[in-house]
Amino acid sequence: MKTIIVVGNGMVGYKFCEKLVSREEGKQFKLLVFGEEPRAAYDRVHLSEYFENQDAKALELAPLTWYAENNIDLIVNERVTDIHRSKKSITTASDQEFFYDHLVLATGSVPFVPPINGVEKEGVFVYRTIEDLESMLSYAEKIKKENKIGKAAILGGGLLGLEAGKAVMDMGLEPHVVEYAPKLMPRQLDSRSSNVLKLTLESTGMNIHLGKATNKILGNGSITGLDFGEDDMLNVDMLVISAGIRPRDELGKTCNLEMGVRGGIVVDDKMRTSDPNIYAIGEVALYNQMIYGLVAPGYEMAEVAVNQILQKEVLMQQHIDMSTKLKLIGVDVASFGIPYMPADKGLSIIYENKTKGVYKRINVSHDGKTLLGGIMVGDAEDYSILHQMYLNNIPLPENAEELIVGARGEGGSPFGSAMDLPDDAVICSCEAVTKGAICCSVLEDGNETVKAVAKATKATSGCGGCKPMVADLVKESLKTLGKTVKERICEHFDFSRQELFDIVKLRGIKDYYELLDAVGTGHGCEVCKPTIAAIFASLHNETANRQETIQDTNDRFLANIQRNGTYSVVPRVAGGEITPKQLIAIGSIAQKFDLYTKITGGQRIDMFGAKLHELPLIWEALIKEGFETGQAYGKSLRTVKSCVGSTWCRYGMDESVSFAVEIENRYKGIRSPHKFKGGVSGCIRECAEARGKDFGFIAVEGGWNVYVGGNGGASPKHAELLAEKVDKATAIKYVDRFIMYYIKTAQPLQRTAPWLEKLEGGITYLQNVVINDSLGIADELDQEMQALVDSYKCEWKEAVETPEIRERYTHFVNSDETDSNIEFVALREQKMPKEWA
Amino acid sequence: MISSLKTYETVTTEKVKVWFKAAPTSRFPKNGGACIKYKDKQIAVFNFAREGRWYACQNLCPHKMEMVLSRGIIGEENMEPKVACPLHKNTFSLKNGNHLNGDLEAIATYPVKVEDDIVYVGFSE
Ligand SMILES: Cc1cc2nc3c(=O)[nH]c(=O)nc-3n(C[C@H](O)[C@H](O)[C@H](O)COP(=O)(O)OP(=O)(O)OC[C@H]3O[C@@H](n4cnc5c(N)ncnc54)[C@H](O)[C@@H]3O)c2cc1C
Ligand code: SF4
Ligand code: SF4
């Protein structure tokens, strides 16, 4: 039996094993694998997830039993130290010798640590292995113990650097990304997109320093700061170096394989090194004079090497795709093909929207026919399809700009459908799964869900970037079989939310289990219970107190659960108008119960850190002072934000505060598919940001403009104009109908902005329904809204006054003790939850 | 983190040494849960009235280490009874504690019996 030795059990080394043993001919080899790390191969791409749960098992590519089942001898914690090419053997750190017929080097790379004075100091880390993360975590703990707001710098503003920045931020440190180049992700972004990204990241709390050369790492033993020269310094308690990678090519060097000038073991398109019995794959291999720091090319190299050893003529492609989509940092960033280039190579179309933090650029050939590459920041929804168009040389539509700014006029996507791609288009590049394979898995193998297709084909199991496309393909393939993907809320109800809404209404059902027995199956779950609870609330204005066990925890206890299992308390302050007396009352109640207080973006006051048993006591006190629940916990109206308007402001065209108070009191207590917010501005200067809300009114010459479907948050969107210059009563009527229509037809947890976006015909259709009554339902909507307005009651008052409901507010049912797991630490003269140690 | 996970170990009916008298059945909402204290442990007890069964498990969610599972919504997936953590909707089997929608460590489960409208939870120590 011939022996293959694989040096390195990283992502690519593992993939080589997986591919070899999946082939029948592969069984004739004995496979011996050495790994220097103390554990079997794991998913380095998703390494940052380790910070979330510190669960190394979750990252494992295959359990140890898998190696045993496939007759692979895996020796971990053992470094290979020498190759003896003449004898065809290797020796290991513990001085054992093993003989091979084929040797595969998959030793990967190490982070490049620039020779800066002081890099050896304590508190300086690299970001590559689980062990690196463990030491970062324990160091961060140490910092936090000594000093509440520790700072961490990341050296390098590339792809990995930004990911590391997010990771240290999640660890509770103040992140500072330091980049030598004048822009972020210099290889992938042009300066304008880097600016957009920088602004967005800064708004999330990441500090970014560009054009800084770090001269020296300061500190006595452990790091205290970075010195950029000329008296420019940054104090930090920790540093993560992410300045690129260097191939781990020392084995190649010492046995005189052909090497690149700047490192890397040279391979040909068969993945063979200068010794035909030795292959190199992954980040150690120098192919076409390049090291490829991504998994997809590494996996392809593994495929080529397996075929070569099995004597099949499969070769590495000439051109390697380096397109990337950033994960985990909370902002969409993607680049593909040639991201930026001088004008003589092609033409660029650029779309930039500074208010939304969106930048898109595509580069097209001079004849306007082919897509050469592009950049997307802030909105990479169309990345997969653009990437596919680029990879497959799909001819561009006549107006190529529609690819990034959307088609003008109604309907019709400029892309056509994912189904238009050729069958051999690679959809999942990590696992090299083609469109043909995905569709075939649906059409011929009967896999009907994304999950099943993923299991059968492995698509989406790498970086996951291809998920939306796979979902589209599955859906479209099912359609060709005459099956539609029925929207059902979960396994217990074969209905969409809208259908359930109608059923509940028509049959007058008021009880969850009655509905389940009538039209559902089984005992329900965490998806259908709260969805149906919201339907009951929207139809009957039932408070969350009656069927408390089908409510999400926030509704069940009428408060927002926070990080450490405590709750926050928010009384309603309609329109943001509050008397001095009420302010004092809130202040003294917060002081009495030792709550952390903060003014919210919705112009009211949030009190944090209440334990479960304190909630009724706090509310009793608030209600005594005339407050009502602010329902900050519910999928319901939050606040109607207002500017001071003509009452005080010299620009004001009308009284925005009075209107906001009136409208907030009108809609308070109404439950909906998701939370919704309003705003009222006294003039077009828009100080109340009404167009960033689900509904908004702006006073103009001759009346009010009414806007709907706006959104702040993660995907900001300006509201669209529903009606112009109408009087107050009409404005309210239109918004009544809009909200009611949304409540009846939206999906669970769908905000008004995406709802409006999905509504066929968009705002024009909505205007027809709401203003021209095209569906003939306006009267019904009006009545339903009025019924909700008339039946409002404060659910906290109900809870405080009803002994059976009050009884729910204890942590233990067999003890008056409180949860000893909850601990607080001091924060700027208030308190905050203690991190779990 | 690990140390606190270790304090919760599944107890099977055969291993019960103490049937701890927890509280009257009326303190546990139908088809919902409540938390009880036994020594230094927090245990979530669920009155799964639809099935006519009772379940108990650790109150600690192994994901973010918060004492919250008793406040979760219960239900079933392919007739496997489960509880969903109220914080991030991780779901755990009430039968064997397995994490159903991911790869977290299984949670510890405990046997429950009801006699004369009193709920007892079984412990091995
Ligand atoms: C935080 C992070 C995020 C990333 N995100 C992405 C991403 O989103 N997309 C993407 O495409 N790529 C990403 N990457 C890059 C990706 O992880 C690498 O491309 C991939 O791991 C390369 O695989 P490899 O097998 O070549 O190297 P490795 O995974 O590094 O494996 C090499 C292994 O060989 C061992 N070894 C080395 N020398 C010896 C020896 N002499 N004897 C025995 N064992 C030895 C090493 O200890 C190591 O375990 C990311 C990397 C990191 C660190
Ligand atoms: S929106 Fe107009 S009226 Fe309101 S505060 Fe601003 S400037 Fe004044
Ligand atoms: S499941 Fe759980 S406790 Fe729990 S934090 Fe998450 S998510 Fe949590």
Side-chain angles (χ1 to χ4, degrees), chain A residues 643-646 649 651-653 656 681-688:
Chain A
C643 71
V644 289
S646 61
C649 173
Y651 296 112
M653 311 281 299
S656 42
S681 279
C683 80
I684 43 139
R685 286 172 189 78
E686 250 283 71
C687 297

Side-chain angles (χ1 to χ4, degrees), chain A residues 420-441:
Chain A
D420 299 341
L421 292 170
D423 268 353
D424 57 4
V426 176
I427 304 290
C428 169
S429 45
C430 294
E431 292 287 342
V433 186
T434 60
K435 176 203 154 200
I438 292 167
C439 294
C440 174
S441 165

Side-chain angles (χ1 to χ4, degrees), chain A residues 563, chain B residues 59-69 84-92 99 101 104:
Chain A
R563 218 179 63 202
Chain B
N59 194 32
L60 181 76
C61 173
H63 174 219
K64 294 283 164 165
M65 299 295 163
E66 307 285 9
M67 289 291 184
V68 290
L69 290 180
C85 172
L87 292 182
H88 304 96
K89 296 273 159 92
N90 282 306
T91 55
F92 301 92
H99 184 201
N101 56 355
L104 292 173

Side-chain angles (χ1 to χ4, degrees), chain A residues 55 491-492 513 517 522-524 526 529 548 551-552 556 563-565 567 811-814 817 819 821, chain B residues 20 22 29-31 33 35-37 42 50 66-67 71 73-76 78 82 86 89 91 103:
Chain A
D55 182 1
E491 64 176 273
H492 304 105
Y513 291 102
D517 290 335
H523 304 320
E526 74 282 2
K529 286 180 172 180
E548 86 277 15
Q551 313 285 343
D552 272 324
R556 179 167 172 192
R563 218 179 63 202
N564 62 350
Y567 289 87
H811 188 79
F812 297 112
V813 293
N814 65 336
E817 279 175 58
D819 182 5
N821 197 41
Chain B
F20 173 66
K30 273 197 182 142
N31 296 304
C35 179
I36 63 152
K37 188 173 165 74
Q42 296 196 16
R50 283 282 292 189
E66 307 285 9
M67 289 291 184
R71 304 181 209 165
I73 292 178
I74 58 171
E76 132 282 321
N78 298 322
K82 63 173 178 176
K89 296 273 159 92
T91 55
D103 308 314

